[in-house]
């Protein structure tokens, strides 16, 4: 699986750990930064990751900041992105099975690297259930995107 990944200054260390673990599991990761502790703006890293996913150039994306909140808010502004903020294994599995999330957000200041790696692994291994009720809900979200999206 091809995964786009990005982080801000509060998540770059966890990003590096996730890259190593997922590459060892056979995934191809494209790193969009950042790679330092200098204060930066998380949307600058969320946007290129999500554009790769929305265009189909990446199968999924992973975003990490201090809490995961800012990244998930920015990500969900991109049409076609279903970003889930996850800090537990149940949610990691459920968001793939039920919501077909294509971007995972986590907070380095919220969870430790051990749990974050387990979440990333489970999230990448879990497929969408394809259930009719779940697809119905995703279709409604897509209609909302079309209705409220700003077009130049």
């Amino acid at each position: 699986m091809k995964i786009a990944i990005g982080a801000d200054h509060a998540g770059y260390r966890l990003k590096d750990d996730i890259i190593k673990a997922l590459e060892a599991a056979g995934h191809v990761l494209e790193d969009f930064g950042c790679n330092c502790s200098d204060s930066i703006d998380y949307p600058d890293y969320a946007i290129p990751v999500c554009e790769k996913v929305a265009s189909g150039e990446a199968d999924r994306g992973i975003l990490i900041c201090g809490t995961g909140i800012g990244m998930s808010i920015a990500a969900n502004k991109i049409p076609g992105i279903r970003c889930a903020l996850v800090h537990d294994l149940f949610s990691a599995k459920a968001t793939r099975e039920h919501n077909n999330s294509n971007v995972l957000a986590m907070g380095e200041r919220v969870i430790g690297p051990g749990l974050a790696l387990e979440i990333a692994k489970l999230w990448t291994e879990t497929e969408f259930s394809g259930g009719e009720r779940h697809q119905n809900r995703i279709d409604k979200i897509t209609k909302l995107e079309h209705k409220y999206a700003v077009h130049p």
Side-chain angles (χ1 to χ4, degrees), residues 69-145:
I69 296 168
M71 286 289 201
S72 65
I73 291 170
N76 282 313
K77 299 297 182 189
I78 309 295
I81 296 301
R82 290 177 307 282
C83 179
L85 174 58
V86 174
H87 292 126
D88 64 86
L89 294 173
F90 176 80
S91 298
K93 186 173 174 118
T95 192
R96 284 290 310 130
E97 288 181 339
H98 297 189
N99 311 116
N100 199 13
S101 62
N102 52 11
V103 177
L104 170 67
M106 292 185 285
E108 182 174 321
R109 295 177 178 162
V110 178
I111 57 174
L115 179 56
L117 294 174
E118 286 183 63
I119 289 168
K121 183 178 184 293
L122 180 61
W123 185 79
T124 58
E125 292 173 351
T126 303
E127 294 299 324
F128 176 53
S129 71
E132 185 177 343
R133 67 185 171 123
H134 300 303
Q135 186 59 55
N136 248 0
R137 294 166 185 161
I138 292 167
D139 292 344
K140 287 182 179 187
I141 292 169
T142 302
K143 286 180 184 176
L144 286 171
E145 285 178 344

Side-chain angles (χ1 to χ4, degrees), residues 7-57:
D8 72 0
H9 58 280
Y12 79 95
R13 288 172 298 274
L14 183 55
K15 173 185 62 80
D16 292 344
D17 292 342
I18 289 171
I19 289 171
K20 289 175 193 165
L22 293 181
E23 284 179 341
H27 300 287
V28 175
L29 279 91
E30 185 173 356
D31 185 355
F32 286 87
C34 91
N35 297 305
C36 66
S37 61
D38 298 340
S39 183
I40 58 90
D41 298 328
Y42 53 81
D44 296 341
Y45 297 87
I47 292 165
V49 167
C50 292
E51 286 176 341
K52 282 285 186 177
V53 174
S55 73
E57 294 176 67

